[in-house]
Amino acid sequence: MSQAREVGKVLLLCFLWYTVSSSNNVIGKMVLSEFPYPMTVTMVQLLSITVYSGPFFNMWGVRRYVDIEWSYYLKIIVPLALGKFFSSVFSHVSIWKVPVSYAHTVKATAPLFTVILARIIMRERQTTKVYLSLVPIILGVAIATVTELSFDVIGLASALISTMGFSLMNIYSKRVLNDTGIHHLRLLHLLGRLALFMFLPVWFFSDFWKLLYDPNVHLIGGSDYKLLLLLFCDGGLNWLQNILAFSMLSLVTPLTYAVASASKRLFVISISLFFLGNPVTLTNIFGMSMAIMGVLAYNKAKYDMRKSGKKESLLPVTSNNLWKDKYTVPSNTPQILPAGANYINGHAEGRALINNNRYAGGNTTLSI
């Protein structure tokens, strides 16, 4: 009965995630069609994260912030906030310039950027199956690009830059979670707040003055109620989408999350085609489908690689005392333990446990 309840909870959360993400993309496209200021839309979303996260996370009992050294803060956290801002801006530019369906097809190249960046930054090698799984992704995006009726070079470049930025953010976000033990939702709040305050002056000297003198926009006086409502909904839905994505990741395995994320992208593409009525051809749809199938194949290949790696890591263990001496955890002391371990009788057996909060191991990428 409890297992059925958990499955029902995951399915409900998955449905909400798909619905909120699709709504956010459709409303975002509506906003940018009437209000061509992607930096302002990004600032509204960052403001929503900053305003909503604090009181709601406290209400939900999310573990509070941990102490982070200033050197680490400046070296890792600040660049992450920069990356979040610029990736979000370019993401909004992409759905402003090209249809949502095409923008999300291009974003299916996230595994390609993840593999390249992981190789450069972490010297991480992949299996042949992982490299082969990238082929249908590249071909699918290429076919979708060639047959896209509303193609725009700026839209394509912006989608690629935002995808690369989010892939880089995912790599370093995982590092921060492992290094500091900060709760993932608190990290979201921290990055959103930092990005907001860092770029508020930039926005003020760029978009703010344009908005003051734009005869088609009446936000400052508060007379354009429809646009204000759309911006409010877009900011709230974006914040909720981030919460649902992190919640899904905490409930299911990395492979299940990756499959759900790829399915969500397909759902967003379908909903955007239905509601926004973007003109597409059968070849265009074939390219989109091939890219999504490639993402699913990539996730399966990564899962098989991790599974075989875990089996190999078990073979050299010859001494229990060696294991205990290395991973014995003092009582009441937060520790980062090896990915995949359980905490039993004061010893680690392969999954991270931080202040009684478990984190699933694996190389999972948050959906964008």
Side-chain angles (χ1 to χ4, degrees), residues 67-367:
D67 292 329
I68 300 176
E69 294 181 1
W70 271 108
S71 58
Y72 188 89
Y73 196 89
L74 294 174
K75 183 180 178 182
I76 303 294
I77 303 296
V78 171
L80 263 178
L82 288 169
K84 181 171 181 58
F85 178 82
F86 283 113
S87 298
S88 297
V89 169
F90 280 111
S91 180
H92 286 121
V93 171
S94 69
I95 64 172
W96 170 36
K97 291 292 186 179
V98 297
V100 173
S101 55
Y102 177 63
H104 272 268
T105 303
V106 175
K107 286 181 179 182
T109 56
L112 174 64
F113 286 110
T114 301
V115 167
I116 294 173
L117 292 171
R119 182 73 181 95
I120 295 172
I121 298 170
M122 305 169 66
R123 306 297 180 187
E124 182 180 310
R125 295 180 179 273
Q126 312 295 331
T127 62
T128 304
K129 284 175 64 177
V130 171
Y131 289 122
L132 289 176
S133 69
L134 299 176
V135 175
I137 297 176
I138 298 171
L139 288 177
V141 172
I143 292 171
T145 299
V146 171
T147 58
E148 177 56 50
L149 299 177
S150 305
F151 176 76
D152 184 272
V153 175
I154 296 177
L156 171 63
S158 299
L160 289 171
I161 292 172
S162 70
T163 304
M164 183 181 67
F166 280 121
S167 299
L168 190 62
M169 273 186 62
N170 283 322
I171 292 173
Y172 278 100
S173 294
K174 292 168 195 170
R175 177 178 171 181
V176 172
L177 291 173
N178 288 330
D179 289 350
T180 66
I182 188 174
H183 194 283
H184 47 255
L185 294 182
R186 293 293 184 186
L187 179 61
L188 168 68
H189 185 199
L190 178 63
L191 294 178
R193 183 177 59 187
L194 186 60
L196 174 67
F197 287 110
M198 285 170 58
F199 284 94
L200 202 55
V202 178
W203 170 82
F204 186 81
F205 286 106
S206 59
D207 278 12
F208 179 77
W209 294 109
K210 292 179 183 177
L211 290 172
L212 278 179
Y213 299 105
D214 190 337
N216 299 317
V217 177
H218 306 284
L219 282 181
I220 306 301
S223 57
D224 199 340
Y225 298 111
K226 179 187 174 183
L227 187 54
L228 284 171
L229 180 61
L230 285 174
L231 283 170
F232 174 79
C233 291
D234 181 68
L237 287 171
N238 178 262
W239 174 75
L240 192 56
Q241 176 185 304
N242 279 281
I243 300 300
L244 291 169
F246 277 115
S247 300
M248 272 290 295
L249 184 59
S250 66
L251 284 176
V252 300
T253 63
L255 178 62
T256 303
Y257 178 85
V259 171
S261 178
S263 303
K264 185 214 73 173
R265 201 172 294 286
L266 187 61
F267 188 83
V268 170
I269 290 172
S270 303
I271 293 297
S272 67
L273 289 175
F274 180 78
F275 281 100
L276 299 175
N278 303 321
V280 291
T281 62
L282 288 176
T283 311
N284 192 241
I285 294 174
F286 173 74
M288 294 177 185
S289 303
M290 180 183 287
I292 299 299
M293 292 303 106
V295 174
L296 292 172
Y298 166 82
N299 292 324
K300 180 62 169 64
K302 288 291 291 184
Y303 172 77
D304 291 341
M305 187 180 78
R306 288 194 298 269
K307 195 173 181 180
S308 62
K310 286 181 181 178
K311 287 181 180 179
E312 290 176 4
S313 67
L314 292 176
L315 296 177
V317 177
T318 57
S319 171
N320 288 331
N321 291 331
L322 203 68
W323 174 256
K324 289 182 178 181
D325 290 342
K326 189 175 182 181
Y327 295 115
T328 300
V329 182
S331 59
N332 301 321
T333 303
Q335 296 286 336
I336 305 295
L337 304 180
N342 293 317
Y343 182 73
I344 303 175
N345 298 328
H347 302 290
E349 295 187 357
R351 181 178 290 245
L353 183 81
I354 309 167
N355 292 344
N356 297 321
N357 287 279
R358 295 185 182 276
Y359 290 85
N363 188 17
T364 303
T365 302
L366 287 176
S367 180

